Amino acid sequence: MAAARLTIDLAAIVANWRALAAMSRGETGAVVKADAYGLGAARVAPALMAAGARSFFVALAEEGAALRAALGPLPRIFVFSGIMPGEAPLIRAANLIPLLNSRAQALEAKALAASLGRPLSVGLQLDTGMNRLGLEPADLSALLAAPDGLAGLDLALVMSHLACADEPDHPMNAAQREAFRAMTAHPVLSRVPRSLGATGGVLLGPDFHYDMTRPGVGLYGGLPFAEARPVVTLEAPIVQVREVAEGEAVGYGAAWRADAPRRIATISVGYADGLHRALSAGFTAWLGAAPLPSAGRVSMDLITLDATQCPEARDGAFVTLLGPGQGVDDLAAKAGTIGYEILTSLGARYARRYTGGD
C-alpha cells in the first residue's frame, strides 16, 4: 500500500512569518510548540531562524531541549509551562528561558540560579483573565513585594495570552489589554519587554503588539490569518475502485447506501492519520479538478469516496485532501473542529516531503 504524501512548504511558512512580522511592532518571535504544530520543528524552526526569527516558544522543556539541538546556541527558547519539578537540569543544559507561572515556579528558578552561581534568564507569564496559566495580580504583587523579590532572576520577557483574539470585536480583548497594562505598570516590570499578541493579537493592531509578537497558527496557514499562504498539501492513493449497485451499502454501520449505481474509490488514510471520524458527516477530496465526495464512515486506515463522476479515478491515482483549494480550516469546519487540531493530528505514517527550504 503506497503511503499517503504530506508536503510541507517551508517557503510558505517563512512568507507567513515575514508578513506577520511586517504587521508587528517590535520583535516577532515564532511559536513552534507541538513539533511546529505537527509539521516538524527540526525543519520549520531552522527555516524561520534563517529568515530572521531569534525568539522561539515551546510548550514543554523537553520540546525546548530538542529545539536547542536543532538550532544551536543563538536563539532564545521560551517555555510556556515554566519550570516544573525535576526540570532544572534540562533547563540549565539546554539554556532555556522558563516563563514562570506561579510563586512556586519562581522559587524553583531562584534555586536553579543559586546552583548556577549567576542570574537565570526567565520570563513571567501573567493571567489577565483567561484563567489557564500565569500569575494572577495578587500573586504577582506578593512576588514583587517579597524581601528578595526577583533576586537571582534576569527578566527577559513579561507576557500574557489573549482568549478571544480571533474575535476582533469581543470585549475580552480590551479587558485583557487593560489588565496587562495595569499588571506591567510596576516599576520592576516597566523596563522589561512585553508580549501580549499571538497570531490573532497581531491582527488586532499595534495596541496589542507591545515589544514582541508570537505568531503561531498563522505561520502554518491557519485562521485567523486569512491571507496566509497555504503550507500543507495532503495526497492519498486510491487502493481500489469498485462498482456498487443501487441500494448497496458502503463502510461500517452500512451508514451510506448508493442511490444509483456508483463507483467507489477507497483511499489509504483514516482517523489514525488525523482525518477525524467526524468527517464521516461529509467532505470532498479532489482528483485534479474533479470532486470526490466522501461515501460512508471514515475508518482507521481507509476512507471511501464517490468517484462516479470521475472516470480518471483508478487504482494507484492520488487524490488531494488538503491543498490550496481546501485548507486546514476548510477541512476542520467539515469535522466540527478547528484548523489547529487538523494540523497537530496529522499522523506519522505519511511520506513527508519539505519544499522551499535548504
Side-chain angles (χ1 to χ4, degrees), residues 61-62 82-92 108 112:
E62 291 83 358
I83 180 169
M84 302 291 287
E87 287 186 342
L90 192 57
I91 296 284
R92 178 177 62 241
E108 188 86 15
L112 177 53

Side-chain angles (χ1 to χ4, degrees), residues 68 71-76 95:
R68 179 64 71 200
L71 295 181
L74 176 63
R76 299 189 299 177
N95 192 26

Side-chain angles (χ1 to χ4, degrees), residues 4 11 23 31 40 58 107 110 121 125 145 174 185 196 242 252 278 308 342:
M23 300 178 199
V31 179
V58 296
L107 291 174
K110 289 180 182 181
S121 185
Q125 186 161 194
L196 181 60
R242 67 173 59 241
Y252 282 121
T308 308
I342 295 294

Side-chain angles (χ1 to χ4, degrees), residues 1 42 58 82 107 116 128 145 149 171 212 233 240 325 338 351:
M1 186 182 294
V58 296
L107 291 174
L116 293 172
T128 53
M212 182 194 291
T233 301
Q240 187 181 56
I338 55 177

Side-chain angles (χ1 to χ4, degrees), residues 70-233:
L71 295 181
L74 176 63
R76 299 189 299 177
I77 300 175
F78 294 89
V79 181
F80 286 128
S81 62
I83 180 169
M84 302 291 287
E87 287 186 342
L90 192 57
I91 296 284
R92 178 177 62 241
N95 192 26
L96 306 178
I97 304 175
L99 291 160
L100 307 180
N101 293 290
S102 66
R103 294 170 67 185
Q105 288 195 347
L107 291 174
E108 188 86 15
K110 289 180 182 181
L112 177 53
S115 71
L116 293 172
R118 59 173 173 78
L120 177 69
S121 185
V122 301
L124 295 181
Q125 186 161 194
L126 309 183
D127 175 25
T128 53
M130 195 172 185
N131 285 303
R132 193 174 63 169
L133 283 180
L135 292 150
E136 296 187 3
D139 299 322
L140 178 64
S141 297
L143 178 62
L144 296 175
D148 58 349
L150 297 173
L153 303 180
D154 179 17
L155 281 184
L157 188 70
V158 181
M159 64 150 288
S160 188
H161 194 63
L162 295 167
C164 304
D166 56 344
E167 301 177 58
D169 297 326
H170 200 292
M172 188 79 169
N173 295 319
Q176 285 193 261
R177 183 186 60 199
E178 176 57 27
F180 189 63
R181 183 205 62 76
M183 291 179 74
T184 57
H186 191 285
V188 173
L189 303 182
S190 61
R191 299 182 299 274
V192 180
R194 293 175 290 176
S195 177
L196 181 60
T199 299
V202 173
L203 301 176
L204 287 176
D207 287 349
F208 293 85
H209 294 175
Y210 291 91
D211 305 292
M212 182 194 291
T213 56
R214 320 177 306 274
V217 72
L219 305 181
Y220 310 108
L223 292 174
F225 187 25
E227 289 74 33
R229 278 177 50 177
V231 169
V232 295
T233 301

